[in-house]
Amino acid sequence: MLNFMRELVVILLSFIFLLRIQHCSAMLNPMDFLALQAIRKSLEDMPGSRYFSSWDFTSDPCNFAGVYCEGERVVALNLGDPRAGAPGLSGRIHPSIGKLTALAEFTVVPGRIMGALPATMSQLKNLRFLAVSRNFIFHEIPALGELRKLRTLDLSYNQLSGGIPWSLGKLPQLTNLILCHNRLSGSIPPFVSRSLTRLDLKHNELSGPIGPYSLPPSLNYLSLSWNRFSGRVDRVLPRLNRLHYLDLSLNRFSGPIPGCIFGFPINNLQLERNQFSGPVQPRTSVTIQTIDLSHNMLYGPISPLFATVQNLYLNNNRFTGSVPRVFVDRLLAGSIRLLYLQHNYLTGMPIKPRSSIPMSSSLCLMYNCMVPPVQSPCPISAGRMKTRPTSECSEWKG
């Protein structure tokens, strides 16, 4: 009871204080006023930053840098100077952030803010945009399943650990989820939002299979690279035909690569360094500019439909047969900028030894079941052996 009376007195005094503020355009809600004071006390400008110079609590807080009000409530709070390269803030995010219950937007510029995200953030039921990236936030992602209006969540480039709360997958209006470059582990939840367009989880420690209905067909951008995901994707990928960017590299995905994805409106397709296997056959002409299928266990002949790709990485697989003639024509015309075919089991390429490859194009044929018909520079990783040993070529049947 005593604590309740003390809190009531503080609120009343703050209210009276606000009444006395001169030149105020609006009267700020007392709880919002106290919350801003607590947030200010827990943060400091880094050297070179003057963000808090306008935070003078003898004046109207709605005029503070990064504070935006509607009526008597704070509806947006952008902590720090938003200019690129500007020094950020240090300290911790105070739990009083949860008292700003009208808040629709909360952002923190890159800096040295540490500690955990306050669990009180679950009280911000009106929050639509939450971005606290490139700081030193650690511990687990708090339960945010009550934020039913949340559309963008960006906690990238921090030190978050633990799993992705399954409640995040149930947010009905989620549009952008960016959790890359953290230390998150475990499997990912199924996402129910039919407006989710960007999912960026790269550079974590996430694992397990991706369920065939875990990802919505609304996705435009999907990056799961540098994790430990496993299992097949030939049931989930065909549903994602709106993708403009797909990166599944450096995981443990296995099974076939569905041919339909080569017809998606993608500019960059990254599937390298997995355990994909089987032949690769696009269903239609390929318009993707860059495709990287290297370091897998793919086999069979190389499809001539890949000849329209500007940068094609098929190296370190088990492809067999002769390179289709159309590749030679487009390479000599300069339409192909990079063609890496090293470390396969290819037996020929119909190119004349004296052919002049344009300076703007790169070709590597090292370590196949043939003597390279032309001399062309290869990356150092291709090694020095020009031809694969005969014993390996006779044993490999594709």
Side-chain angles (χ1 to χ4, degrees):
M1 185 66 180
L2 182 59
N3 290 334
F4 173 78
M5 293 299 296
R6 288 176 178 174
E7 185 174 346
L8 182 61
V9 169
V10 170
I11 294 174
L12 289 173
L13 289 175
S14 299
F15 182 74
I16 294 171
F17 176 75
L18 285 172
L19 287 175
R20 295 179 177 178
I21 292 178
Q22 296 180 355
H23 308 297
C24 288
S25 59
M27 182 184 301
L28 188 65
N29 179 282
M31 295 301 295
D32 285 15
F33 183 88
L34 292 175
L36 290 177
Q37 281 190 321
I39 291 169
R40 171 63 185 93
K41 290 178 181 178
S42 66
L43 296 170
E44 293 293 337
D45 280 307
M46 290 179 60
S49 173
R50 290 180 48 81
Y51 170 75
F52 279 125
S53 60
S54 67
W55 281 49
D56 179 1
F57 284 92
T58 62
S59 61
D60 182 8
C62 293
N63 293 327
F64 292 178
V67 178
Y68 303 90
C69 303
E70 286 185 4
E72 63 174 11
R73 302 305 307 273
V74 176
V75 295
L77 180 59
N78 308 133
L79 294 175
D81 190 337
R83 293 177 300 176
L89 307 175
S90 62
R92 297 172 181 264
I93 300 175
H94 198 275
S96 291
I97 187 70
K99 300 293 181 64
L100 301 175
T101 53
L103 206 62
E105 177 181 322
F106 178 56
T107 66
V108 179
V109 303
R112 296 191 63 84
I113 294 179
M114 302 183 181
L117 288 176
T120 54
M121 281 190 166
S122 63
Q123 302 170 17
L124 304 178
K125 303 296 178 61
N126 291 300
L127 200 63
R128 296 193 298 268
F129 190 96
L130 173 57
V132 185
S133 65
R134 297 182 185 274
N135 277 276
F136 292 84
I137 304 296
F138 57 82
H139 203 54
E140 298 181 354
I141 300 174
L144 301 176
E146 297 298 318
L147 309 185
R148 308 291 288 177
K149 297 182 180 180
L150 191 65
R151 297 180 62 84
T152 293
L153 176 61
D154 183 357
L155 303 178
S156 58
Y157 293 89
N158 280 290
Q159 299 176 7
L160 292 165
S161 59
I164 299 176
W166 279 55
S167 58
L168 289 183
K170 297 179 181 180
L171 295 177
Q173 299 186 39
L174 192 64
T175 302
N176 302 286
L177 180 59
I178 308 170
L179 302 176
C180 60
H181 290 269
N182 278 287
R183 300 172 183 174
L184 299 170
S185 58
S187 58
I188 65 172
F191 293 94
V192 302
S193 172
R194 292 297 169 237
S195 58
L196 185 64
T197 57
R198 184 182 182 95
L199 181 60
D200 191 345
L201 305 178
K202 63 178 175 284
H203 283 268
N204 278 288
E205 299 171 12
L206 298 165
S207 60
I210 306 296
Y213 299 101
S214 295
L215 305 177
S218 56
L219 280 175
N220 295 147
Y221 181 104
L222 176 61
S223 181
L224 304 179
S225 63
W226 290 88
N227 278 286
R228 301 172 186 172
F229 291 113
S230 59
R232 298 166 66 108
V233 295
D234 53 327
R235 292 184 62 190
V236 62
L237 287 184
R239 300 178 60 251
L240 309 181
N241 58 3
R242 300 181 191 175
L243 285 174
H244 291 278
Y245 182 89
L246 175 61
D247 188 353
L248 305 182
S249 60
L250 290 107
N251 279 286
R252 301 169 185 174
F253 290 117
S254 59
I257 297 174
C260 63
I261 70 170
F262 299 108
F264 288 0
I266 297 175
N267 292 323
N268 195 322
L269 176 60
Q270 304 287 336
L271 302 179
E272 71 271 19
R273 296 186 183 275
N274 278 282
Q275 299 172 14
F276 290 117
S277 61
V280 185
Q281 295 293 332
R283 295 181 182 177
T284 183
S285 59
V286 181
T287 60
I288 303 174
Q289 294 182 358
T290 298
I291 294 180
D292 195 340
L293 306 181
S294 65
H295 295 273
N296 280 288
M297 296 181 288
L298 303 169
Y299 57 79
I302 296 175
S303 171
L305 294 175
F306 282 127
T308 54
V309 180
Q310 293 182 7
N311 303 290
L312 182 61
Y313 300 80
L314 299 180
N315 54 288
N316 294 82
N317 278 287
R318 300 173 181 177
F319 289 109
T320 56
S322 180
V323 180
R325 174 73 195 186
V326 65
F327 279 91
V328 177
D329 296 339
R330 293 184 61 82
L331 182 67
L332 296 180
S335 300
I336 295 179
R337 297 177 182 174
L338 185 146
L339 181 58
Y340 277 3
L341 302 175
Q342 68 268 23
H343 287 260
N344 278 289
Y345 293 81
L346 299 170
T347 54
M349 183 173 185
I351 185 171
K352 296 179 180 179
R354 295 185 179 180
S355 297
S356 178
I357 299 175
M359 293 293 293
S360 60
S361 301
S362 298
L363 170 68
C364 185
L365 293 169
M366 296 278 284
Y367 209 70
N368 276 285
C369 296
M370 61 175 172
V371 176
V374 291
Q375 299 297 319
S376 55
C378 287
I380 297 176
S381 59
R384 297 183 178 181
M385 294 185 64
K386 294 184 177 181
T387 306
R388 185 179 288 274
T390 305
S391 58
E392 293 183 10
C393 292
S394 60
E395 291 177 4
W396 174 244
K397 305 296 183 182

